[in-house]
Amino acid sequence: SPLRPPAEIPALLRRDQVIAYIHAHLTDPDLDADRIADAVRLSRRSLYRLFHDTDYTLMDYLRRARVEAAQNLLRNHPTKSISHISREAGFNDERSFYRTFRTITGMTPNDYREQFQRHIVGPFLDEYARGRTPIPCVRCNQTVKFRDLLGVARELGADCLATGHYV
């Protein structure tokens, strides 16, 4: 793909700054466009304009980042309640969490957790019980992480994806 014109580079750097701010404050349920704009010293209009040439809006990005955080919590904390996870991921209420999660992933948080347990954790435990040394990362990379990573890369309009893994 061609190199970006120099005029686009400051906008890309500003967008990176906004994205870094979002991730640093993701768990704050009051995080919104006004707070982000104030923090990065941009007008709301300029802030929204940074995302104009992407496949998502500023608020789409915020919602997706929160769902990603919730997915990590669901995978890594199987006993934590869904309401606790929704709060930790920055959602105001459980209902909006369920709705947003389902819209983005195509399944409920409970289904996501169950699928992870069934496809990753369950086979790991079965292999371990048989005296084998399971490698859950292989299956998880194929069925969960790589699929999610590729989806995010596509949403960001990435020209390529470097994982550090041999494919």
mmCIF file of all heavy atoms in Angstrom, residues 121-143:
data_model
loop_
_atom_site.group_PDB
_atom_site.id
_atom_site.type_symbol
_atom_site.label_atom_id
_atom_site.label_comp_id
_atom_site.label_asym_id
_atom_site.label_seq_id
_atom_site.Cartn_x
_atom_site.Cartn_y
_atom_site.Cartn_z
ATOM 1 N N VAL A 121 -10.688 -24.322 27.684
ATOM 2 C CA VAL A 121 -10.393 -24.829 29.026
ATOM 3 C C VAL A 121 -10.733 -26.313 29.143
ATOM 4 O O VAL A 121 -9.930 -27.095 29.655
ATOM 5 C CB VAL A 121 -11.133 -23.998 30.102
ATOM 6 C CG1 VAL A 121 -10.899 -24.577 31.489
ATOM 7 C CG2 VAL A 121 -10.692 -22.546 30.036
ATOM 8 N N GLY A 122 -11.907 -26.710 28.660
ATOM 9 C CA GLY A 122 -12.320 -28.118 28.744
ATOM 10 C C GLY A 122 -11.330 -29.068 28.087
ATOM 11 O O GLY A 122 -10.858 -30.025 28.736
ATOM 12 N N PRO A 123 -10.975 -28.832 26.808
ATOM 13 C CA PRO A 123 -9.982 -29.708 26.174
ATOM 14 C C PRO A 123 -8.628 -29.708 26.891
ATOM 15 O O PRO A 123 -7.967 -30.734 26.970
ATOM 16 C CB PRO A 123 -9.853 -29.130 24.761
ATOM 17 C CG PRO A 123 -11.180 -28.506 24.504
ATOM 18 C CD PRO A 123 -11.590 -27.925 25.843
ATOM 19 N N PHE A 124 -8.226 -28.567 27.431
ATOM 20 C CA PHE A 124 -6.984 -28.493 28.194
ATOM 21 C C PHE A 124 -7.040 -29.445 29.389
ATOM 22 O O PHE A 124 -6.139 -30.237 29.616
ATOM 23 C CB PHE A 124 -6.731 -27.062 28.666
ATOM 24 C CG PHE A 124 -5.606 -26.955 29.662
ATOM 25 C CD1 PHE A 124 -4.297 -26.866 29.229
ATOM 26 C CD2 PHE A 124 -5.854 -26.962 31.029
ATOM 27 C CE1 PHE A 124 -3.258 -26.788 30.145
ATOM 28 C CE2 PHE A 124 -4.827 -26.878 31.951
ATOM 29 C CZ PHE A 124 -3.510 -26.791 31.506
ATOM 30 N N LEU A 125 -8.139 -29.370 30.146
ATOM 31 C CA LEU A 125 -8.275 -30.224 31.331
ATOM 32 C C LEU A 125 -8.356 -31.697 30.960
ATOM 33 O O LEU A 125 -7.792 -32.548 31.651
ATOM 34 C CB LEU A 125 -9.500 -29.801 32.143
ATOM 35 C CG LEU A 125 -9.419 -28.403 32.767
ATOM 36 C CD1 LEU A 125 -10.742 -28.047 33.423
ATOM 37 C CD2 LEU A 125 -8.269 -28.307 33.749
ATOM 38 N N ASP A 126 -9.044 -32.017 29.857
ATOM 39 C CA ASP A 126 -9.141 -33.411 29.404
ATOM 40 C C ASP A 126 -7.759 -33.970 29.060
ATOM 41 O O ASP A 126 -7.413 -35.092 29.455
ATOM 42 C CB ASP A 126 -10.051 -33.521 28.175
ATOM 43 C CG ASP A 126 -11.509 -33.279 28.511
ATOM 44 O OD1 ASP A 126 -11.874 -33.311 29.707
ATOM 45 O OD2 ASP A 126 -12.285 -33.042 27.557
ATOM 46 N N GLU A 127 -6.983 -33.194 28.314
ATOM 47 C CA GLU A 127 -5.633 -33.643 27.940
ATOM 48 C C GLU A 127 -4.747 -33.796 29.176
ATOM 49 O O GLU A 127 -3.996 -34.762 29.292
ATOM 50 C CB GLU A 127 -4.992 -32.647 26.958
ATOM 51 C CG GLU A 127 -5.597 -32.679 25.570
ATOM 52 C CD GLU A 127 -5.377 -34.019 24.886
ATOM 53 O OE1 GLU A 127 -4.205 -34.445 24.744
ATOM 54 O OE2 GLU A 127 -6.382 -34.652 24.508
ATOM 55 N N TYR A 128 -4.853 -32.869 30.080
ATOM 56 C CA TYR A 128 -4.062 -32.913 31.301
ATOM 57 C C TYR A 128 -4.419 -34.151 32.120
ATOM 58 O O TYR A 128 -3.545 -34.833 32.662
ATOM 59 C CB TYR A 128 -4.282 -31.636 32.110
ATOM 60 C CG TYR A 128 -3.301 -31.457 33.233
ATOM 61 C CD1 TYR A 128 -1.999 -31.035 32.975
ATOM 62 C CD2 TYR A 128 -3.665 -31.708 34.555
ATOM 63 C CE1 TYR A 128 -1.091 -30.866 33.998
ATOM 64 C CE2 TYR A 128 -2.765 -31.542 35.588
ATOM 65 C CZ TYR A 128 -1.476 -31.119 35.304
ATOM 66 O OH TYR A 128 -0.574 -30.964 36.325
ATOM 67 N N ALA A 129 -5.707 -34.457 32.208
ATOM 68 C CA ALA A 129 -6.163 -35.639 32.954
ATOM 69 C C ALA A 129 -5.655 -36.931 32.327
ATOM 70 O O ALA A 129 -5.486 -37.938 33.010
ATOM 71 C CB ALA A 129 -7.686 -35.651 33.030
ATOM 72 N N ARG A 130 -5.409 -36.911 31.023
ATOM 73 C CA ARG A 130 -4.882 -38.095 30.315
ATOM 74 C C ARG A 130 -3.364 -38.212 30.444
ATOM 75 O O ARG A 130 -2.767 -39.097 29.841
ATOM 76 C CB ARG A 130 -5.265 -38.024 28.845
ATOM 77 C CG ARG A 130 -6.736 -38.220 28.600
ATOM 78 C CD ARG A 130 -7.013 -38.287 27.100
ATOM 79 N NE ARG A 130 -8.417 -38.482 26.879
ATOM 80 C CZ ARG A 130 -9.238 -37.593 26.326
ATOM 81 N NH1 ARG A 130 -8.781 -36.438 25.894
ATOM 82 N NH2 ARG A 130 -10.510 -37.857 26.181
ATOM 83 N N GLY A 131 -2.756 -37.292 31.173
ATOM 84 C CA GLY A 131 -1.315 -37.343 31.369
ATOM 85 C C GLY A 131 -0.529 -36.695 30.246
ATOM 86 O O GLY A 131 0.684 -36.866 30.152
ATOM 87 N N ARG A 132 -1.194 -35.973 29.382
ATOM 88 C CA ARG A 132 -0.521 -35.278 28.281
ATOM 89 C C ARG A 132 -0.233 -33.840 28.703
ATOM 90 O O ARG A 132 -0.832 -33.314 29.622
ATOM 91 C CB ARG A 132 -1.395 -35.289 27.040
ATOM 92 C CG ARG A 132 -1.680 -36.694 26.550
ATOM 93 C CD ARG A 132 -2.462 -36.645 25.264
ATOM 94 N NE ARG A 132 -2.824 -37.996 24.855
ATOM 95 C CZ ARG A 132 -3.991 -38.332 24.382
ATOM 96 N NH1 ARG A 132 -4.933 -37.435 24.220
ATOM 97 N NH2 ARG A 132 -4.234 -39.568 24.029
ATOM 98 N N THR A 133 0.673 -33.209 27.962
ATOM 99 C CA THR A 133 0.985 -31.803 28.209
ATOM 100 C C THR A 133 0.259 -30.968 27.170
ATOM 101 O O THR A 133 0.713 -30.820 26.045
ATOM 102 C CB THR A 133 2.506 -31.558 28.122
ATOM 103 O OG1 THR A 133 3.170 -32.447 29.017
ATOM 104 C CG2 THR A 133 2.836 -30.114 28.466
ATOM 105 N N PRO A 134 -0.893 -30.436 27.545
ATOM 106 C CA PRO A 134 -1.661 -29.656 26.575
ATOM 107 C C PRO A 134 -1.066 -28.268 26.349
ATOM 108 O O PRO A 134 -0.375 -27.735 27.216
ATOM 109 C CB PRO A 134 -3.033 -29.545 27.230
ATOM 110 C CG PRO A 134 -2.759 -29.676 28.681
ATOM 111 C CD PRO A 134 -1.541 -30.545 28.829
ATOM 112 N N ILE A 135 -1.323 -27.735 25.176
ATOM 113 C CA ILE A 135 -0.886 -26.381 24.848
ATOM 114 C C ILE A 135 -2.135 -25.604 24.437
ATOM 115 O O ILE A 135 -2.487 -25.541 23.266
ATOM 116 C CB ILE A 135 0.170 -26.392 23.725
ATOM 117 C CG1 ILE A 135 1.326 -27.315 24.097
ATOM 118 C CG2 ILE A 135 0.658 -24.967 23.453
ATOM 119 C CD1 ILE A 135 2.338 -27.517 22.996
ATOM 120 N N PRO A 136 -2.831 -25.023 25.422
ATOM 121 C CA PRO A 136 -4.083 -24.332 25.107
ATOM 122 C C PRO A 136 -3.887 -23.104 24.221
ATOM 123 O O PRO A 136 -4.809 -22.676 23.541
ATOM 124 C CB PRO A 136 -4.634 -23.946 26.478
ATOM 125 C CG PRO A 136 -3.445 -23.892 27.357
ATOM 126 C CD PRO A 136 -2.498 -24.936 26.840
ATOM 127 N N CYS A 137 -2.686 -22.533 24.220
ATOM 128 C CA CYS A 137 -2.451 -21.329 23.413
ATOM 129 C C CYS A 137 -2.702 -21.578 21.934
ATOM 130 O O CYS A 137 -3.201 -20.705 21.232
ATOM 131 C CB CYS A 137 -1.032 -20.827 23.606
ATOM 132 S SG CYS A 137 -0.713 -20.277 25.291
ATOM 133 N N VAL A 138 -2.368 -22.770 21.460
ATOM 134 C CA VAL A 138 -2.564 -23.072 20.038
ATOM 135 C C VAL A 138 -4.038 -22.966 19.694
ATOM 136 O O VAL A 138 -4.430 -22.269 18.754
ATOM 137 C CB VAL A 138 -2.012 -24.469 19.688
ATOM 138 C CG1 VAL A 138 -2.385 -24.853 18.269
ATOM 139 C CG2 VAL A 138 -0.514 -24.509 19.883
ATOM 140 N N ARG A 139 -4.870 -23.651 20.454
ATOM 141 C CA ARG A 139 -6.313 -23.625 20.181
ATOM 142 C C ARG A 139 -6.893 -22.239 20.424
ATOM 143 O O ARG A 139 -7.712 -21.750 19.660
ATOM 144 C CB ARG A 139 -7.026 -24.664 21.039
ATOM 145 C CG ARG A 139 -8.523 -24.651 20.805
ATOM 146 C CD ARG A 139 -9.160 -25.827 21.392
ATOM 147 N NE ARG A 139 -9.181 -26.843 20.336
ATOM 148 C CZ ARG A 139 -9.618 -28.065 20.517
ATOM 149 N NH1 ARG A 139 -10.034 -28.449 21.682
ATOM 150 N NH2 ARG A 139 -9.626 -28.914 19.534
ATOM 151 N N CYS A 140 -6.464 -21.582 21.478
ATOM 152 C CA CYS A 140 -6.978 -20.247 21.791
ATOM 153 C C CYS A 140 -6.587 -19.259 20.690
ATOM 154 O O CYS A 140 -7.398 -18.442 20.263
ATOM 155 C CB CYS A 140 -6.451 -19.772 23.141
ATOM 156 S SG CYS A 140 -7.166 -18.213 23.695
ATOM 157 N N ASN A 141 -5.340 -19.321 20.232
ATOM 158 C CA ASN A 141 -4.913 -18.422 19.154
ATOM 159 C C ASN A 141 -5.760 -18.637 17.908
ATOM 160 O O ASN A 141 -6.131 -17.682 17.233
ATOM 161 C CB ASN A 141 -3.440 -18.634 18.824
ATOM 162 C CG ASN A 141 -2.523 -18.048 19.874
ATOM 163 O OD1 ASN A 141 -2.929 -17.211 20.671
ATOM 164 N ND2 ASN A 141 -1.291 -18.491 19.896
ATOM 165 N N GLN A 142 -6.066 -19.893 17.589
ATOM 166 C CA GLN A 142 -6.834 -20.196 16.377
ATOM 167 C C GLN A 142 -8.291 -19.768 16.500
ATOM 168 O O GLN A 142 -8.869 -19.240 15.560
ATOM 169 C CB GLN A 142 -6.807 -21.695 16.092
ATOM 170 C CG GLN A 142 -5.477 -22.216 15.689
ATOM 171 C CD GLN A 142 -5.458 -23.746 15.672
ATOM 172 O OE1 GLN A 142 -6.308 -24.403 16.256
ATOM 173 N NE2 GLN A 142 -4.462 -24.298 15.003
ATOM 174 N N THR A 143 -8.891 -20.023 17.654
ATOM 175 C CA THR A 143 -10.344 -19.848 17.763
ATOM 176 C C THR A 143 -10.772 -18.554 18.438
ATOM 177 O O THR A 143 -11.905 -18.141 18.269
ATOM 178 C CB THR A 143 -10.973 -21.023 18.538
ATOM 179 O OG1 THR A 143 -10.429 -21.054 19.855
ATOM 180 C CG2 THR A 143 -10.729 -22.334 17.840
#
